[in-house]
Amino acid sequence: CKSCIDKVWDSEKIPSCPECREVFLFKRYAVNWQLCKAVESSQRSQQYEKEEIPNQEQKSHYLLGSHECTEHKEVLKVFCQDDGCPVCVICMISSKHKGHTFIPILEATSMFQDKLKNTVSSLEVKMKHLKECQSKQEQNISAVKDDAQSLEQHITSEFAKLRQFLQDKEQQMIQQLKVEAAEILEKMTENLDSIEEMNKAIQKDKSSIESTLQQKDPLLFLKGITDETKSIMKRTKEETKVDICESWIPKKKRKGVFNGEPYTGRLRLGVYRGPLQYRVWKEMLSVVNPSLSHLTLDPNTAHPGLTLSEDLTSVTYGASKLQFFDNPKRYDSH
């Protein structure tokens, strides 16, 4: 400080620097601005520690005074717009920032605060838009889930109808087959009973004839032989007459002993085997909703390169174009 320098110079005949001992010809003071700023900064810092800052503006000034340039130890008072950083007064006049634009720190703070506020406003608008999009997307997701559930129920219901139709048709055909098989088996069983009765009657006649043949006495053998022979011949003639004149009568109603034949009834394989799936599929069309219908083509819109059938249900493509009357509905390009 000046008082310290005066004390040193008063004690010396030739004045010199108290620190580096450089000799001066004349006693002339040079202000050390860097030291001055450091002292002022230290004093402000000490003062702030003792006193409470009354308002935000004074707090800002204090905060500015508490930040120093790392190179010059000066308070950062201005903002370099070119480099985008706060600088001190010495930096401002240095060659490093030559030609740059500077504004006060508080003005720069206000400017960037306004920019950030505008940015926040813009972000709020985007957030609002995103929330709307989010809400719509959630509604779309919910709608798709509802549609999927509804369609799943619809598919289940439609296939249930088809399955019910097939099950009913299956039971109907099985019942029909059982009835038909029962009728055939009944006829076969009755015919089998008739054959067994015929066999018993023939066995009885055979046993009677064999017993007669064992007779050794000629008189006893001839006794009653005429009646027995006539009886056997009569049954034979009656059976032959039935075969010729009453062949339309079912075998179970025919009389006689010599007409036993197996009943050859058969199940209708064409009904129960054959193209079964195709026939059932055609019957299934009755439960299809909407029912199938023929497609009718419109000749007024047909491309000149297309040929329609007379019933307008089929189309073919030809290399040569046909002559049609002009129609505004006609397609003239692919």
Side-chain angles (χ1 to χ4, degrees):
C1 63
K2 184 176 179 296
S3 59
C4 293
I5 294 175
D6 289 338
K7 290 179 180 180
V8 174
W9 282 355
D10 290 341
S11 63
E12 295 178 346
K13 296 180 178 180
I14 301 175
S16 63
C17 177
E19 183 176 357
C20 63
R21 297 305 176 180
E22 181 181 354
V23 176
F24 298 100
L25 298 179
F26 303 97
K27 293 181 180 181
R28 187 167 50 190
Y29 301 98
V31 179
N32 189 339
W33 293 106
Q34 184 176 357
L35 179 59
C36 180
K37 297 295 183 181
V39 172
E40 291 178 357
S41 176
S42 178
Q43 291 175 348
R44 284 195 298 268
S45 177
Q46 293 176 359
Q47 183 180 1
Y48 178 79
E49 292 176 356
K50 295 178 180 179
E51 299 178 0
E52 182 181 1
I53 301 176
N55 52 49
Q56 185 64 29
E57 184 177 358
Q58 291 180 353
K59 184 177 180 180
S60 298
H61 283 289
Y62 167 74
L63 292 175
L64 290 176
S66 62
H67 294 282
E68 296 180 349
C69 175
T70 57
E71 183 179 357
H72 304 108
K73 304 301 178 181
E74 291 284 336
V75 178
L76 302 175
K77 291 186 176 182
V78 293
F79 182 82
C80 179
Q81 291 184 311
D82 296 87
D83 292 338
C85 62
V87 295
C88 66
V89 178
I90 298 177
C91 291
M92 184 175 63
I93 61 176
S94 66
S95 59
K96 182 178 178 181
H97 295 274
K98 185 177 181 180
H100 291 184
T101 303
F102 302 92
I103 57 175
I105 288 292
L106 295 178
E107 183 179 344
T109 302
S110 177
M111 179 183 68
F112 282 104
Q113 286 177 346
D114 292 339
K115 288 183 179 181
L116 292 176
K117 289 179 181 179
N118 293 333
T119 303
V120 170
S121 300
S122 177
L123 293 176
E124 289 177 349
V125 173
K126 291 182 179 180
M127 288 179 62
K128 182 179 179 181
H129 175 69
L130 290 175
K131 286 183 178 179
E132 294 176 355
C133 293
Q134 180 182 359
S135 176
K136 291 180 180 179
Q137 188 65 74
E138 290 174 349
Q139 292 177 0
N140 293 338
I141 291 174
S142 177
V144 170
K145 289 182 178 180
D146 293 340
D147 291 342
Q149 184 177 3
S150 175
L151 290 175
E152 182 178 351
Q153 294 176 354
H154 174 73
I155 292 172
T156 303
S157 174
E158 293 300 313
F159 273 91
K161 294 178 183 177
L162 296 178
R163 283 192 293 269
Q164 186 64 43
F165 172 82
L166 292 175
Q167 291 176 358
D168 294 343
K169 187 64 180 177
E170 178 186 5
Q171 295 300 322
Q172 176 186 350
M173 295 192 68
I174 291 176
Q175 184 63 28
Q176 180 181 342
L177 174 61
K178 289 181 178 180
V179 171
E180 185 174 336
E183 292 177 353
I184 295 175
L185 291 174
E186 181 182 3
K187 293 178 181 179
M188 287 183 172
T189 302
E190 292 177 354
N191 190 62
L192 179 61
D193 294 339
S194 299
I195 292 174
E196 291 177 351
E197 291 177 1
M198 290 178 188
N199 187 33
K200 291 179 181 180
I202 292 174
Q203 184 67 31
K204 182 179 180 180
D205 290 342
K206 178 176 175 294
S207 299
S208 177
I209 293 173
E210 289 177 348
S211 177
T212 303
L213 289 174
Q214 291 178 359
Q215 183 59 249
K216 302 298 182 179
D217 190 341
L219 296 177
L220 294 176
F221 174 78
L222 294 174
K223 184 181 180 180
I225 189 66
T226 304
D227 295 337
E228 185 176 354
T229 304
K230 287 182 179 180
S231 176
I232 294 174
M233 295 302 295
K234 182 180 179 181
R235 287 196 297 270
T236 304
K237 288 181 180 179
E238 286 180 352
E239 184 63 30
T240 304
K241 184 179 179 180
V242 167
D243 287 344
I244 297 174
C245 301
E246 300 179 5
S247 58
W248 58 272
I249 301 176
K251 292 184 182 296
K252 67 178 183 178
K253 295 183 180 180
R254 297 182 186 179
K255 297 179 181 180
V257 221
F258 303 106
N259 194 39
E261 295 180 2
Y263 179 72
T264 57
R266 292 289 184 271
L267 295 173
R268 296 177 295 171
L269 298 181
V271 175
Y272 305 107
R273 187 171 289 172
L276 179 61
Q277 294 182 357
Y278 176 73
R279 291 201 310 271
V280 175
W281 171 76
K282 290 186 65 176
E283 295 181 13
M284 189 185 294
L285 296 179
S286 61
V287 299
V288 174
N289 186 25
S291 58
L292 301 179
S293 59
H294 291 289
L295 182 66
T296 303
L297 303 175
D298 186 5
N300 293 326
T301 60
H303 188 273
L306 300 178
T307 303
L308 305 183
S309 61
E310 294 183 359
D311 58 357
L312 303 178
T313 58
S314 62
V315 59
T316 57
Y317 178 76
S320 59
K321 293 186 178 181
L322 302 179
Q323 297 296 328
F324 287 104
F325 295 103
D326 291 335
N327 193 306
K329 296 181 180 180
R330 188 176 310 285
Y331 291 95
D332 55 0
S333 61
H334 293 286

